[in-house]
Amino acid sequence: MAVLQPSRSRDLDKLLLRPGHLVGPSFEPGPELREDIKEYVKVLVVGAGGLGCELLKDLALTGFRNLDVIDMDRIEVTNLNRQFLFRLDDVGKPKAEVAAKRVMERVNGVNITPHFCRIEDKPLDFYSDFSIIVLGLDSIEARSYINAVACGFLEYDSDDTPREETVKPMVDGGTEGFKGHARIIIPGTTPCFECTIWLFPPQVKFPLCTLAETPRTAAHCIEYAHLIKWNEVHGGKSFDPDNPEDMQWVYSEAVKRAELFGIPGVTYSLTQGVVKNIIPAIASTNAIISAACALETLKIVSGCSKTLSNYLTYNGVEGLHTKVTEFVKDTDCLVCGPGILIELEKSITLKKFMGQLEDHPRLLLTRVSVTHRGNNLYMQAPPILEEMTRSNLDIPLFDLMGGLARDIIHVNGMSGKGDKKQSCLRKLRVAFKGVDGVADIDMAGGA
Protein backbone atom coordinates (compact mmCIF):
# COMPACT_ATOMS: atom_id res chain seq x y z
CA MET A 1 0.00 0.00 0.00
CA ALA A 2 1.41 3.36 -1.06
CA VAL A 3 2.15 5.85 1.69
CA LEU A 4 0.84 9.36 1.01
CA GLN A 5 3.41 12.09 1.37
CA PRO A 6 2.35 14.68 3.92
CA SER A 7 1.00 17.84 2.40
CA ARG A 8 1.87 21.33 3.52
CA SER A 9 -1.80 21.91 4.24
CA ARG A 10 -3.50 19.41 6.51
CA ASP A 11 -6.87 21.14 6.28
CA LEU A 12 -6.77 21.19 2.49
CA ASP A 13 -6.15 17.46 2.45
CA LYS A 14 -9.22 16.90 4.59
CA LEU A 15 -11.27 18.44 1.80
CA LEU A 16 -9.58 16.83 -1.18
CA LEU A 17 -8.47 13.39 0.03
CA ARG A 18 -11.61 11.99 1.59
CA PRO A 19 -15.32 11.72 0.67
CA GLY A 20 -18.15 13.52 2.44
CA HIS A 21 -21.90 14.05 2.51
CA LEU A 22 -21.78 17.50 0.85
CA VAL A 23 -19.52 16.71 -2.09
CA GLY A 24 -20.48 17.29 -5.73
CA PRO A 25 -21.56 14.43 -8.00
CA SER A 26 -18.25 14.42 -9.92
CA PHE A 27 -15.98 14.61 -6.87
CA GLU A 28 -13.26 11.93 -6.77
CA PRO A 29 -11.11 12.33 -3.65
CA GLY A 30 -7.44 11.45 -3.68
CA PRO A 31 -3.93 12.84 -4.14
CA GLU A 32 -4.50 12.87 -7.92
CA LEU A 33 -7.11 15.59 -7.51
CA ARG A 34 -4.74 17.68 -5.44
CA GLU A 35 -2.01 17.33 -8.06
CA ASP A 36 -4.41 18.03 -10.95
CA ILE A 37 -5.43 21.31 -9.35
CA LYS A 38 -1.78 22.29 -9.07
CA GLU A 39 -0.90 21.31 -12.64
CA TYR A 40 -3.95 21.98 -14.79
CA VAL A 41 -6.20 24.62 -13.17
CA LYS A 42 -5.49 28.18 -14.32
CA VAL A 43 -6.96 31.01 -12.27
CA LEU A 44 -7.20 34.66 -13.31
CA VAL A 45 -7.38 37.22 -10.51
CA VAL A 46 -8.75 40.56 -11.70
CA GLY A 47 -7.54 43.37 -9.48
CA ALA A 48 -4.44 43.64 -7.29
CA GLY A 49 -5.67 46.11 -4.70
CA GLY A 50 -6.70 45.45 -1.11
CA LEU A 51 -8.91 42.48 -1.94
CA GLY A 52 -6.73 41.33 -4.85
CA CYS A 53 -3.63 41.05 -2.64
CA GLU A 54 -5.54 38.85 -0.22
CA LEU A 55 -6.93 36.73 -3.05
CA LEU A 56 -3.50 36.04 -4.55
CA LYS A 57 -2.13 35.00 -1.18
CA ASP A 58 -5.13 32.83 -0.28
CA LEU A 59 -5.35 31.11 -3.67
CA ALA A 60 -1.63 30.32 -3.63
CA LEU A 61 -1.92 28.84 -0.14
CA THR A 62 -5.01 26.88 -1.16
CA GLY A 63 -2.98 24.85 -3.63
CA PHE A 64 -3.43 26.72 -6.91
CA ARG A 65 -0.12 26.94 -8.72
CA ASN A 66 -1.00 28.61 -12.05
CA LEU A 67 -2.24 32.13 -11.36
CA ASP A 68 -2.45 35.29 -13.45
CA VAL A 69 -3.27 38.74 -12.13
CA ILE A 70 -4.31 41.81 -14.13
CA ASP A 71 -4.43 45.39 -12.84
CA MET A 72 -3.89 48.75 -14.52
CA ASP A 73 -2.93 50.76 -11.40
CA ARG A 74 0.37 51.73 -9.86
CA ILE A 75 1.07 51.63 -6.13
CA GLU A 76 0.37 54.80 -4.14
CA VAL A 77 1.34 55.69 -0.58
CA THR A 78 -2.32 55.59 0.46
CA ASN A 79 -2.46 51.89 -0.51
CA LEU A 80 0.09 50.78 2.07
CA ASN A 81 -2.20 50.68 5.11
CA ARG A 82 -4.22 47.72 3.76
CA GLN A 83 -2.55 46.31 0.64
CA PHE A 84 -0.06 44.27 2.61
CA LEU A 85 2.06 42.99 -0.29
CA PHE A 86 3.40 46.50 -1.00
CA ARG A 87 6.20 48.48 0.67
CA LEU A 88 7.20 52.14 0.62
CA ASP A 89 9.91 51.42 -1.95
CA ASP A 90 7.23 50.03 -4.28
CA VAL A 91 5.37 53.33 -4.68
CA GLY A 92 5.00 54.07 -8.39
CA LYS A 93 5.43 50.47 -9.49
CA PRO A 94 2.65 48.39 -11.14
CA LYS A 95 0.50 46.65 -8.53
CA ALA A 96 0.15 43.44 -10.53
CA GLU A 97 3.90 42.99 -10.95
CA VAL A 98 4.80 43.68 -7.31
CA ALA A 99 1.96 41.55 -5.92
CA ALA A 100 2.93 38.59 -8.11
CA LYS A 101 6.58 38.89 -7.10
CA ARG A 102 5.83 39.06 -3.36
CA VAL A 103 3.54 36.02 -3.32
CA MET A 104 6.00 33.94 -5.36
CA GLU A 105 8.73 34.85 -2.88
CA ARG A 106 6.65 33.56 0.04
CA VAL A 107 4.87 30.53 -1.46
CA ASN A 108 7.12 27.91 -3.01
CA GLY A 109 6.09 26.43 -6.33
CA VAL A 110 3.45 28.98 -7.29
CA ASN A 111 3.74 30.70 -10.66
CA ILE A 112 1.98 34.07 -11.01
CA THR A 113 2.00 35.96 -14.30
CA PRO A 114 1.26 39.70 -13.92
CA HIS A 115 -0.45 41.85 -16.55
CA PHE A 116 -0.08 45.60 -16.15
CA CYS A 117 -2.85 46.86 -18.44
CA ARG A 118 -6.55 47.59 -18.74
CA ILE A 119 -8.87 44.58 -18.81
CA GLU A 120 -10.23 45.83 -22.14
CA ASP A 121 -6.74 45.66 -23.67
CA LYS A 122 -6.70 41.87 -23.57
CA PRO A 123 -8.25 39.86 -26.43
CA LEU A 124 -11.05 37.40 -25.71
CA ASP A 125 -8.67 34.48 -26.29
CA PHE A 126 -6.71 35.60 -23.23
CA TYR A 127 -9.71 35.10 -20.95
CA SER A 128 -10.72 31.81 -22.58
CA ASP A 129 -7.52 30.13 -21.34
CA PHE A 130 -8.54 30.22 -17.67
CA SER A 131 -10.47 27.60 -15.74
CA ILE A 132 -12.07 30.20 -13.47
CA ILE A 133 -11.98 33.98 -13.01
CA VAL A 134 -11.85 35.57 -9.53
CA LEU A 135 -12.76 39.24 -9.20
CA GLY A 136 -11.36 41.63 -6.61
CA LEU A 137 -12.62 44.86 -8.14
CA ASP A 138 -14.01 48.16 -6.85
CA SER A 139 -15.72 49.22 -10.07
CA ILE A 140 -19.18 48.36 -11.39
CA GLU A 141 -18.04 49.00 -14.96
CA ALA A 142 -15.07 46.61 -14.68
CA ARG A 143 -17.24 43.89 -13.13
CA SER A 144 -19.80 44.33 -15.89
CA TYR A 145 -17.13 43.99 -18.57
CA ILE A 146 -15.56 40.82 -17.17
CA ASN A 147 -19.02 39.36 -16.60
CA ALA A 148 -19.87 39.97 -20.26
CA VAL A 149 -16.59 38.40 -21.38
CA ALA A 150 -17.13 35.23 -19.34
CA CYS A 151 -20.79 34.94 -20.36
CA GLY A 152 -19.77 35.52 -23.96
CA PHE A 153 -18.08 32.10 -24.01
CA LEU A 154 -21.33 30.42 -22.99
CA GLU A 155 -23.09 28.42 -25.70
CA TYR A 156 -26.56 26.92 -25.65
CA ASP A 157 -27.81 23.81 -27.44
CA SER A 158 -30.97 23.68 -29.56
CA ASP A 159 -33.08 23.42 -26.39
CA ASP A 160 -31.47 26.56 -24.91
CA THR A 161 -29.64 24.43 -22.33
CA PRO A 162 -26.13 25.68 -21.47
CA ARG A 163 -23.33 23.50 -22.85
CA GLU A 164 -21.21 22.56 -19.85
CA GLU A 165 -17.87 22.71 -21.69
CA THR A 166 -18.47 26.40 -22.54
CA VAL A 167 -19.21 27.55 -18.97
CA LYS A 168 -16.60 29.95 -17.54
CA PRO A 169 -17.31 30.25 -13.78
CA MET A 170 -16.55 33.38 -11.80
CA VAL A 171 -16.18 34.21 -8.12
CA ASP A 172 -16.77 37.85 -7.26
CA GLY A 173 -15.78 39.60 -4.06
CA GLY A 174 -16.32 43.16 -2.95
CA THR A 175 -15.80 45.21 0.21
CA GLU A 176 -16.99 48.57 1.50
CA GLY A 177 -15.73 49.50 4.93
CA PHE A 178 -16.98 46.86 7.39
CA LYS A 179 -19.30 45.32 4.78
CA GLY A 180 -18.58 42.88 1.98
CA HIS A 181 -19.94 40.22 -0.32
CA ALA A 182 -18.79 37.03 -2.01
CA ARG A 183 -20.78 35.48 -4.84
CA ILE A 184 -20.44 32.74 -7.40
CA ILE A 185 -21.51 33.17 -11.01
CA ILE A 186 -22.02 30.06 -13.10
CA PRO A 187 -23.14 31.49 -16.47
CA GLY A 188 -26.39 29.95 -17.62
CA THR A 189 -27.19 28.53 -14.18
CA THR A 190 -26.87 31.22 -11.51
CA PRO A 191 -27.65 34.91 -12.04
CA CYS A 192 -24.81 36.84 -13.63
CA PHE A 193 -23.71 40.33 -12.63
CA GLU A 194 -26.17 42.01 -15.00
CA CYS A 195 -29.07 39.91 -13.68
CA THR A 196 -28.62 41.56 -10.28
CA ILE A 197 -27.22 44.96 -11.29
CA TRP A 198 -30.00 46.52 -9.20
CA LEU A 199 -28.11 45.41 -6.07
CA PHE A 200 -25.67 48.28 -6.59
CA PRO A 201 -26.99 51.72 -5.57
CA PRO A 202 -26.49 54.62 -8.00
CA GLN A 203 -23.42 56.76 -7.43
CA VAL A 204 -23.93 60.05 -5.60
CA LYS A 205 -24.23 63.03 -7.96
CA PHE A 206 -24.06 66.70 -6.93
CA PRO A 207 -26.15 69.40 -8.67
CA LEU A 208 -23.88 71.64 -10.74
CA CYS A 209 -25.57 74.74 -9.35
CA THR A 210 -24.51 73.71 -5.84
CA LEU A 211 -20.93 73.10 -6.96
CA ALA A 212 -20.72 76.41 -8.80
CA GLU A 213 -22.53 78.73 -6.36
CA THR A 214 -23.08 77.30 -2.86
CA PRO A 215 -20.54 74.60 -1.98
CA ARG A 216 -21.01 73.32 1.58
CA THR A 217 -18.62 70.36 1.87
CA ALA A 218 -15.10 69.38 0.90
CA ALA A 219 -16.56 66.99 -1.69
CA HIS A 220 -18.38 69.92 -3.33
CA CYS A 221 -15.08 71.79 -3.70
CA ILE A 222 -13.36 68.74 -5.18
CA GLU A 223 -16.14 68.07 -7.68
CA TYR A 224 -16.13 71.77 -8.66
CA ALA A 225 -12.45 71.52 -9.54
CA HIS A 226 -12.99 68.19 -11.27
CA LEU A 227 -16.18 68.86 -13.26
CA ILE A 228 -16.21 72.62 -13.82
CA LYS A 229 -12.79 74.22 -13.34
CA TRP A 230 -10.94 71.51 -15.27
CA ASN A 231 -12.97 72.14 -18.44
CA GLU A 232 -12.64 75.90 -18.07
CA VAL A 233 -8.85 75.73 -17.92
CA HIS A 234 -8.02 72.72 -20.07
CA GLY A 235 -10.67 72.99 -22.75
CA GLY A 236 -10.93 69.77 -24.73
CA LYS A 237 -8.33 67.82 -22.74
CA SER A 238 -9.88 64.85 -20.96
CA PHE A 239 -9.19 64.42 -17.25
CA ASP A 240 -7.29 61.21 -16.49
CA PRO A 241 -8.00 60.00 -12.93
CA ASP A 242 -4.99 57.67 -13.10
CA ASN A 243 -2.58 60.51 -13.99
CA PRO A 244 -0.93 61.85 -10.78
CA GLU A 245 -0.39 65.29 -12.37
CA ASP A 246 -4.08 65.63 -13.26
CA MET A 247 -5.12 64.52 -9.78
CA GLN A 248 -2.68 66.94 -8.15
CA TRP A 249 -4.11 69.81 -10.22
CA VAL A 250 -7.67 69.01 -9.10
CA TYR A 251 -6.50 68.79 -5.49
CA SER A 252 -4.77 72.19 -5.66
CA GLU A 253 -7.83 73.85 -7.19
CA ALA A 254 -10.11 72.20 -4.63
CA VAL A 255 -7.95 73.59 -1.80
CA LYS A 256 -8.27 77.11 -3.27
CA ARG A 257 -12.03 76.70 -3.57
CA ALA A 258 -12.31 75.44 0.01
CA GLU A 259 -10.26 78.35 1.37
CA LEU A 260 -12.45 80.82 -0.52
CA PHE A 261 -15.62 79.49 1.16
CA GLY A 262 -14.03 78.58 4.51
CA ILE A 263 -14.63 74.85 4.11
CA PRO A 264 -12.18 72.49 5.89
CA GLY A 265 -11.28 68.88 5.10
CA VAL A 266 -9.90 68.86 1.55
CA THR A 267 -7.01 66.37 1.37
CA TYR A 268 -5.28 64.62 -1.50
CA SER A 269 -6.62 61.27 -0.27
CA LEU A 270 -10.19 62.60 -0.16
CA THR A 271 -9.73 64.10 -3.63
CA GLN A 272 -8.83 60.68 -4.97
CA GLY A 273 -11.77 59.14 -3.18
CA VAL A 274 -14.31 61.62 -4.53
CA VAL A 275 -13.02 61.74 -8.11
CA LYS A 276 -12.48 57.98 -8.46
CA ASN A 277 -15.42 57.06 -6.17
CA ILE A 278 -13.08 55.11 -3.89
CA ILE A 279 -14.77 53.44 -0.93
CA PRO A 280 -12.72 53.32 2.31
CA ALA A 281 -11.33 49.82 2.75
CA ILE A 282 -10.56 47.88 5.93
CA ALA A 283 -7.95 45.11 5.93
CA SER A 284 -9.95 42.70 8.09
CA THR A 285 -12.97 42.89 5.77
CA ASN A 286 -10.74 42.18 2.78
CA ALA A 287 -9.30 39.15 4.55
CA ILE A 288 -12.72 37.70 5.41
CA ILE A 289 -14.18 38.16 1.92
CA SER A 290 -11.02 36.84 0.27
CA ALA A 291 -11.16 33.69 2.39
CA ALA A 292 -14.76 33.09 1.30
CA CYS A 293 -13.85 33.65 -2.36
CA ALA A 294 -10.84 31.33 -2.22
CA LEU A 295 -12.93 28.57 -0.62
CA GLU A 296 -15.66 28.92 -3.26
CA THR A 297 -13.01 28.78 -5.99
CA LEU A 298 -11.68 25.52 -4.58
CA LYS A 299 -15.19 24.06 -4.29
CA ILE A 300 -16.06 24.94 -7.90
CA VAL A 301 -12.94 23.42 -9.48
CA SER A 302 -12.80 20.33 -7.25
CA GLY A 303 -16.42 19.55 -6.33
CA CYS A 304 -15.27 18.90 -2.75
CA SER A 305 -18.40 20.56 -1.35
CA LYS A 306 -21.56 22.37 -2.33
CA THR A 307 -21.05 25.95 -3.41
CA LEU A 308 -22.81 29.06 -2.19
CA SER A 309 -26.41 29.51 -3.25
CA ASN A 310 -25.33 32.06 -4.42
CA TYR A 311 -24.67 35.43 -2.74
CA LEU A 312 -23.03 35.86 0.67
CA THR A 313 -23.12 39.18 2.50
CA TYR A 314 -20.96 40.11 5.49
CA ASN A 315 -21.59 42.95 7.94
CA GLY A 316 -19.12 43.71 10.70
CA VAL A 317 -20.36 47.18 11.66
CA GLU A 318 -21.95 45.98 14.89
CA GLY A 319 -20.84 42.50 15.87
CA LEU A 320 -20.69 40.04 12.99
CA HIS A 321 -23.49 39.06 10.66
CA THR A 322 -23.37 36.85 7.56
CA LYS A 323 -26.21 35.79 5.32
CA VAL A 324 -26.54 33.77 2.11
CA THR A 325 -29.25 34.77 -0.37
CA GLU A 326 -30.21 32.72 -3.41
CA PHE A 327 -30.98 35.11 -6.25
CA VAL A 328 -32.72 33.91 -9.40
CA LYS A 329 -31.33 34.12 -12.92
CA ASP A 330 -33.04 36.55 -15.28
CA THR A 331 -34.17 34.40 -18.20
CA ASP A 332 -34.21 37.46 -20.49
CA CYS A 333 -30.74 38.70 -19.51
CA LEU A 334 -28.89 40.22 -22.46
CA VAL A 335 -25.55 38.97 -21.18
CA CYS A 336 -25.91 35.42 -19.81
CA GLY A 337 -28.96 34.42 -21.87
CA PRO A 338 -28.81 32.59 -25.21
CA GLY A 339 -28.13 35.90 -26.96
CA ILE A 340 -30.17 38.45 -28.89
CA LEU A 341 -31.53 36.96 -32.10
CA ILE A 342 -31.00 39.12 -35.18
CA GLU A 343 -32.25 38.12 -38.65
CA LEU A 344 -30.36 39.49 -41.64
CA GLU A 345 -30.33 39.42 -45.41
CA LYS A 346 -27.42 37.52 -46.95
CA SER A 347 -26.33 40.62 -48.82
CA ILE A 348 -25.91 42.92 -45.82
CA THR A 349 -22.35 44.16 -45.43
CA LEU A 350 -20.47 44.24 -42.15
CA LYS A 351 -20.62 48.05 -42.17
CA LYS A 352 -24.43 48.14 -42.54
CA PHE A 353 -24.80 45.46 -39.89
CA MET A 354 -22.80 47.57 -37.45
CA GLY A 355 -25.05 50.53 -38.26
CA GLN A 356 -28.12 48.47 -37.35
CA LEU A 357 -26.68 47.75 -33.91
CA GLU A 358 -26.71 51.48 -33.13
CA ASP A 359 -30.48 51.66 -33.70
CA HIS A 360 -31.38 48.30 -32.15
CA PRO A 361 -33.67 49.04 -29.15
CA ARG A 362 -31.96 46.50 -26.90
CA LEU A 363 -28.37 47.27 -27.91
CA LEU A 364 -27.81 50.96 -28.79
CA LEU A 365 -24.18 50.14 -29.61
CA THR A 366 -21.66 52.58 -31.07
CA ARG A 367 -17.96 52.24 -31.91
CA VAL A 368 -18.49 48.54 -32.48
CA SER A 369 -15.84 45.83 -32.87
CA VAL A 370 -16.99 42.45 -34.19
CA THR A 371 -15.53 38.96 -33.70
CA HIS A 372 -16.68 35.55 -34.91
CA ARG A 373 -15.26 32.33 -33.48
CA GLY A 374 -12.14 34.15 -32.33
CA ASN A 375 -11.57 35.90 -35.66
CA ASN A 376 -11.53 39.69 -35.73
CA LEU A 377 -13.99 40.82 -38.40
CA TYR A 378 -13.53 44.49 -37.50
CA MET A 379 -11.67 46.13 -34.62
CA GLN A 380 -11.96 49.79 -33.61
CA ALA A 381 -8.56 49.72 -31.88
CA PRO A 382 -5.60 49.58 -31.79
CA PRO A 383 -4.97 51.48 -35.06
CA ILE A 384 -2.98 48.64 -36.62
CA LEU A 385 -5.87 46.19 -36.12
CA GLU A 386 -8.38 48.74 -37.41
CA GLU A 387 -6.32 49.12 -40.57
CA MET A 388 -5.96 45.34 -41.00
CA THR A 389 -9.73 44.72 -40.67
CA ARG A 390 -11.02 47.83 -42.45
CA SER A 391 -11.32 46.03 -45.78
CA ASN A 392 -13.95 43.71 -44.25
CA LEU A 393 -16.45 46.53 -43.83
CA ASP A 394 -17.72 46.26 -47.43
CA ILE A 395 -17.88 42.45 -47.45
CA PRO A 396 -21.20 40.69 -46.73
CA LEU A 397 -21.33 39.43 -43.15
CA PHE A 398 -22.63 36.10 -44.48
CA ASP A 399 -19.35 35.58 -46.37
CA LEU A 400 -17.23 36.69 -43.40
CA MET A 401 -18.99 34.07 -41.27
CA GLY A 402 -18.09 31.32 -43.74
CA GLY A 403 -21.56 30.97 -45.25
CA LEU A 404 -23.13 29.66 -42.01
CA ALA A 405 -26.91 29.92 -41.85
CA ARG A 406 -26.81 30.91 -38.19
CA ASP A 407 -24.11 31.33 -35.56
CA ILE A 408 -22.94 33.36 -32.57
CA ILE A 409 -20.95 36.54 -32.99
CA HIS A 410 -19.62 38.88 -30.30
CA VAL A 411 -19.75 42.66 -30.53
CA ASN A 412 -17.87 45.07 -28.29
CA GLY A 413 -18.66 48.77 -28.09
CA MET A 414 -20.22 51.61 -26.16
CA SER A 415 -23.81 51.03 -25.05
CA GLY A 416 -26.41 53.48 -23.80
CA LYS A 417 -27.68 56.98 -24.47
CA GLY A 418 -26.19 60.42 -23.97
CA ASP A 419 -23.58 60.64 -21.22
CA LYS A 420 -24.59 57.28 -19.73
CA LYS A 421 -22.63 55.15 -22.20
CA GLN A 422 -20.26 52.47 -20.99
CA SER A 423 -18.09 49.79 -22.55
CA CYS A 424 -19.86 46.47 -22.97
CA LEU A 425 -19.68 43.11 -24.73
CA ARG A 426 -22.77 41.49 -26.23
CA LYS A 427 -23.51 38.07 -27.69
CA LEU A 428 -25.69 37.96 -30.80
CA ARG A 429 -27.40 35.02 -32.50
CA VAL A 430 -27.27 35.87 -36.20
CA ALA A 431 -29.57 34.09 -38.65
CA PHE A 432 -29.64 34.75 -42.40
CA LYS A 433 -32.98 34.76 -44.24
CA GLY A 434 -33.63 32.09 -46.82
CA VAL A 435 -30.65 29.95 -45.82
CA ASP A 436 -31.08 26.44 -44.45
CA GLY A 437 -34.76 26.95 -43.73
CA VAL A 438 -34.39 30.15 -41.68
CA ALA A 439 -37.85 31.69 -41.61
CA ASP A 440 -38.75 35.34 -41.30
CA ILE A 441 -38.79 36.46 -37.68
CA ASP A 442 -40.45 39.52 -36.22
CA MET A 443 -37.56 41.52 -34.78
CA ALA A 444 -39.52 44.52 -33.56
CA GLY A 445 -38.85 43.52 -29.96
CA GLY A 446 -35.20 42.73 -30.59
CA ALA A 447 -35.46 38.99 -29.94
Side-chain angles (χ1 to χ4, degrees), residues 56 88 111 177 199 209 228 243 264 275 308 313 316 332 335 344 353 356 370 390 436 438 441:
L56 282 175
L88 189 59
N111 179 50
L199 286 170
C209 58
I228 298 176
N243 186 322
V275 172
L308 278 176
T313 53
D332 295 323
V335 178
L344 302 171
F353 166 69
Q356 288 187 5
V370 185
R390 191 184 305 159
D436 194 27
V438 175
I441 303 172

Side-chain angles (χ1 to χ4, degrees), residues 216-292:
R216 298 184 297 275
T217 67
H220 289 165
C221 298
I222 293 168
E223 285 290 55
Y224 170 82
H226 171 218
L227 299 175
I228 298 176
K229 193 67 176 180
W230 176 272
N231 289 330
E232 290 179 357
V233 175
H234 295 89
K237 180 185 176 183
S238 297
F239 174 78
D240 182 0
D242 296 307
N243 186 322
E245 295 180 359
D246 290 4
M247 190 65 72
Q248 181 63 43
W249 188 92
V250 169
Y251 166 63
S252 300
E253 292 298 320
V255 169
K256 296 176 184 177
R257 182 76 169 172
E259 291 176 348
L260 180 64
F261 285 87
I263 298 173
V266 174
T267 65
Y268 184 79
S269 177
L270 180 62
T271 301
Q272 288 180 304
V274 171
V275 172
K276 301 175 72 172
N277 194 38
I278 296 174
I279 305 298
I282 296 174
S284 58
T285 308
N286 287 334
I288 291 169
I289 296 302
S290 173

Side-chain angles (χ1 to χ4, degrees), residues 364-410:
L364 303 175
L365 281 171
T366 57
R367 293 189 54 78
V368 175
S369 297
V370 185
T371 60
H372 174 245
R373 297 194 175 187
N375 297 318
N376 296 324
L377 303 188
Y378 180 73
M379 302 298 290
Q380 292 281 351
I384 187 171
L385 273 182
E386 194 283 329
E387 183 179 352
M388 291 172 60
T389 56
R390 191 184 305 159
S391 59
N392 288 338
L393 290 173
D394 296 322
I395 299 176
L397 180 61
F398 180 74
D399 295 338
L400 293 172
M401 293 174 60
L404 295 172
R406 62 183 77 209
D407 205 3
I408 299 292
I409 66 170
H410 294 93

Side-chain angles (χ1 to χ4, degrees), residues 8 37-39 41-45 56 59-61 63-69 96-97 99-115 130:
R8 180 169 55 186
I37 290 175
K38 291 180 180 179
E39 185 172 355
V41 175
K42 291 189 65 178
V43 181
L44 173 64
V45 177
L56 282 175
L59 291 168
L61 293 174
F64 295 99
R65 290 293 177 262
N66 300 304
L67 302 172
D68 284 54
V69 58
E97 295 178 3
K101 177 174 176 288
R102 288 279 149 71
V103 174
M104 287 192 290
E105 288 173 348
R106 299 295 297 271
V107 183
N108 293 332
V110 67
N111 179 50
I112 305 177
T113 303
H115 305 272
F130 296 97

Side-chain angles (χ1 to χ4, degrees), residues 250-367:
V250 169
Y251 166 63
S252 300
E253 292 298 320
V255 169
K256 296 176 184 177
R257 182 76 169 172
E259 291 176 348
L260 180 64
F261 285 87
I263 298 173
V266 174
T267 65
Y268 184 79
S269 177
L270 180 62
T271 301
Q272 288 180 304
V274 171
V275 172
K276 301 175 72 172
N277 194 38
I278 296 174
I279 305 298
I282 296 174
S284 58
T285 308
N286 287 334
I288 291 169
I289 296 302
S290 173
C293 290
L295 180 58
E296 292 306 312
T297 303
L298 179 66
K299 290 195 287 187
I300 289 173
V301 301
S302 69
C304 66
S305 182
K306 291 181 179 179
T307 58
L308 278 176
S309 299
N310 43 49
Y311 195 103
L312 177 143
T313 53
Y314 163 80
N315 190 333
V317 175
E318 295 182 2
L320 188 154
H321 179 264
T322 60
K323 178 182 179 181
V324 176
T325 304
E326 185 172 5
F327 290 108
V328 179
K329 178 181 179 294
D330 181 359
T331 55
D332 295 323
C333 180
L334 296 180
V335 178
C336 68
I340 298 176
L341 179 61
I342 296 182
E343 189 183 38
L344 302 171
E345 299 287 348
K346 283 177 54 178
S347 59
I348 190 172
T349 63
L350 177 59
K351 185 175 183 179
K352 290 183 178 179
F353 166 69
M354 291 164 57
Q356 288 187 5
L357 301 181
E358 186 171 352
D359 300 324
H360 195 289
R362 297 181 67 190
L363 294 172
L364 303 175
L365 281 171
T366 57
R367 293 189 54 78

